[in-house]
Amino acid sequence: MATFFRQCFVGFKVLVVMTVVLGVAYPAAVWGVGQVAFNDNANGQIVSRDGKDVGSSIIGQNFKVDDPQWFHGRPSAAEYDGLASAASNLGPSNPDLLTAIKERQEAVAGAEGVDVSDVPADAVTASGSGLDPYISPEYAALQVERVAKARGLLVDAVRRLVEDHTYGRQLGFLGEPKVNVLELNLALERQ
């Protein structure tokens, strides 16, 4: 019986030590390294303007589709709610998804004054998280004339802004070129 209690006591001590090490010390060390070495990344890459936080460069924002003065991002299955981040889970042959894509294609084509076949895929499909902050350079280019006209700017000036806010492939070969919509819209507002 004494052996049993001794084993229980040793087990309890191991539990307490491991709880402190893995539940307190390790997370605190990871947090501390993140704050010192990667502060911007560890804190959500918050974007500020005039001392006020306006968003995150890694979370998509809802720029109203009916407001022509802004570049629009991808549709969101989560309605841009970070707490509800998720895809729609509708398969490629689901009639609801196909209907939504067709409606979005027609809306984008009408807003941009182009043929439905010229609408890029990222203009009508949500990302896996529903919070993708990027659009393709093709979708950004499609919106240049509308935004320039709504803001009374030269098309070439707006096109240059898109080029200045286009990121290439990571490491030169991973992924696709992309445009951060929040950063582009903030640059547009400074014009």
Side-chain angles (χ1 to χ4, degrees):
M1 193 64 146
T3 303
F4 173 74
F5 286 116
R6 190 178 61 205
Q7 288 176 342
C8 287
F9 183 67
V10 169
F12 180 73
K13 286 194 311 188
V14 168
L15 174 68
V16 169
V17 168
M18 296 307 279
T19 298
V20 169
V21 169
L22 298 176
V24 178
Y26 177 72
V30 169
W31 176 82
V33 168
Q35 292 301 311
V36 172
F38 309 102
N39 186 277
D40 187 46
N41 290 346
N43 292 313
Q45 298 180 19
I46 302 299
V47 176
S48 299
R49 191 193 73 213
D50 300 328
K52 180 182 175 191
D53 295 342
V54 294
S56 169
S57 64
I58 57 173
I59 298 177
Q61 310 292 312
N62 187 10
F63 291 97
K64 303 290 184 196
V65 175
D66 57 351
D67 191 349
Q69 68 176 340
W70 301 110
F71 281 90
H72 305 143
R74 292 183 73 170
S76 173
E79 298 301 322
Y80 301 97
D81 179 3
L83 297 175
S85 172
S88 67
N89 290 332
L90 300 177
S93 62
N94 185 294
D96 294 337
L97 179 63
L98 297 174
T99 300
I101 288 173
K102 184 175 175 146
E103 289 171 357
R104 291 174 188 158
Q105 279 178 319
E106 291 169 357
V108 170
E112 305 304 340
V114 298
D115 190 71
V116 174
S117 63
D118 294 331
V119 175
D122 62 317
V124 296
T125 57
S127 66
S129 69
L131 300 171
D132 191 351
Y134 301 104
I135 58 175
S136 67
E138 294 79 19
Y139 186 29
L142 185 70
Q143 300 180 63
V144 165
E145 288 187 30
R146 171 185 46 83
V147 171
K149 181 180 176 186
R151 289 188 167 264
L153 297 171
L154 295 173
V155 172
D156 287 341
V158 176
R159 190 171 289 123
R160 239 183 335 275
L161 278 177
V162 170
E163 290 169 4
D164 292 345
H165 289 86
T166 298
Y167 297 92
R169 297 169 192 241
Q170 294 173 329
L171 302 175
F173 66 95
L174 294 174
E176 294 294 324
K178 57 193 174 202
V179 179
N180 187 298
V181 178
L182 175 62
E183 292 174 4
L184 177 59
N185 280 335
L186 288 174
L188 185 64
E189 190 173 11
R190 285 190 293 268
Q191 289 290 308

